[in-house]
Amino acid sequence: MNLIKLLEPNSQIDLPKQLWLYNDKVIATNGFAMIVINAGKVDCVNISPLNIYSGQLSEIINHEYSVVKKIDLQDFKKFLGEPQYLKECDCKNVVQKCPECDGKGVVECNLGEEHDCKECDGGAEYYCDKCDGGWIKPKPRYIGIFDAAFNGNVLAQYLADIHDTDVFVSCDGGKPVKFSGNGWDIFIMPVKDVKQVSKYDQIVSCK
């Protein structure tokens, strides 16, 4: 079990690097997913007591799920495919000079008159449109489990360094889906308004 790698400062996973201590659990959450690790398994000084939202998190962590199914983790990881991570864009998040107007903001038409450049709207410069702040995000791969859709790439990232043989997956209407192993839990919310998914046959329905 090496979930703590996700929380290292150089990790490219979208989780806060600040860890919160709640009872005997260490928690990290981004509002979309939450990782919970037994405190005894975490060797890290960057941990603070959790006071705010402790009631909400306690309800999630201690909820007794109505449906619990065991899956072969390695089989599930093969289904998810290799995790894809953020890639740094060649632009380095530096403002680019518009090639259409050579950074002038205007172009000359056939009549010899100058007009705002349509490529940059007269701004002369622009940020790269292939990335977000200098980083290229991997395309989501949507999978279907428990009658809901999830970003399979996010799950692949979270589970990449876990080597438990058996993992338990739990669901309950309106609650995050819970993945559990030896000393760890991952709670993750489904993605809405997704029509095309690849279904994992072992956990199709929350019944």
Side-chain angles (χ1 to χ4, degrees):
M1 191 282 293
N2 205 5
L3 273 173
I4 195 63
K5 285 184 65 176
L6 302 181
L7 310 175
E8 293 175 348
N10 62 348
S11 170
Q12 294 181 341
I13 305 297
D14 179 23
L15 278 171
K17 303 310 180 277
Q18 171 66 57
L19 307 183
W20 302 100
L21 182 64
Y22 176 72
N23 292 338
D24 61 341
K25 308 289 186 182
V26 175
I27 300 170
T29 179
N30 58 8
F32 170 75
M34 179 170 67
I35 288 177
V36 181
I37 308 171
N38 287 351
K41 293 182 175 291
V42 179
D43 182 17
C44 181
V45 296
N46 191 29
I47 301 178
S48 300
L50 178 66
N51 296 316
I52 59 173
Y53 309 126
S54 60
Q56 298 175 21
L57 294 180
S58 174
E59 181 181 351
I60 295 173
I61 293 171
N62 298 318
H63 178 73
E64 294 291 336
Y65 280 78
S66 60
V67 177
V68 180
K69 297 187 178 183
K70 184 172 73 171
I71 63 170
D72 182 310
L73 179 60
Q74 299 311 312
D75 181 71
F76 185 59
K77 287 167 73 170
K78 287 180 181 178
F79 169 76
L80 293 175
E82 289 294 322
Q84 303 298 314
Y85 298 95
L86 292 171
K87 294 182 179 179
E88 191 171 6
C89 184
D90 292 337
C91 76
K92 307 296 183 182
N93 200 32
V94 176
V95 177
Q96 308 291 310
K97 182 172 69 172
C98 178
E100 185 69 20
C101 63
D102 197 28
K104 298 176 181 178
V106 294
V107 292
E108 189 175 294
C109 69
N110 294 334
L111 300 177
E113 297 180 354
E114 290 188 339
H115 304 273
D116 283 348
C117 175
K118 292 182 179 180
E119 187 69 24
C120 64
D121 291 326
E125 298 175 331
Y126 65 94
Y127 282 99
C128 175
D129 59 359
K130 297 179 181 179
C131 67
D132 182 7
W135 293 95
I136 300 174
K137 295 182 179 180
K139 293 182 178 180
R141 304 195 305 264
Y142 295 115
I143 65 165
I145 55 176
F146 288 145
D147 306 315
F150 298 84
N151 188 336
N153 189 59
V154 171
L155 278 172
Q157 292 176 352
Y158 290 168
L159 298 173
D161 288 303
I162 298 176
H163 303 292
D164 298 19
T165 302
D166 296 320
V167 168
F168 294 90
V169 188
S170 311
C171 77
D172 224 340
K175 298 290 184 181
V177 165
K178 175 184 176 183
F179 290 78
S180 303
N182 183 21
W184 60 268
D185 299 297
I186 296 174
F187 298 84
I188 188 165
M189 294 297 294
V191 181
K192 296 181 179 179
D193 301 323
V194 175
K195 295 181 179 179
Q196 293 185 341
V197 299
S198 299
K199 293 186 178 180
Y200 185 60
D201 293 338
Q202 290 191 40
I203 43 177
V204 173
S205 179
C206 187
K207 295 179 181 179

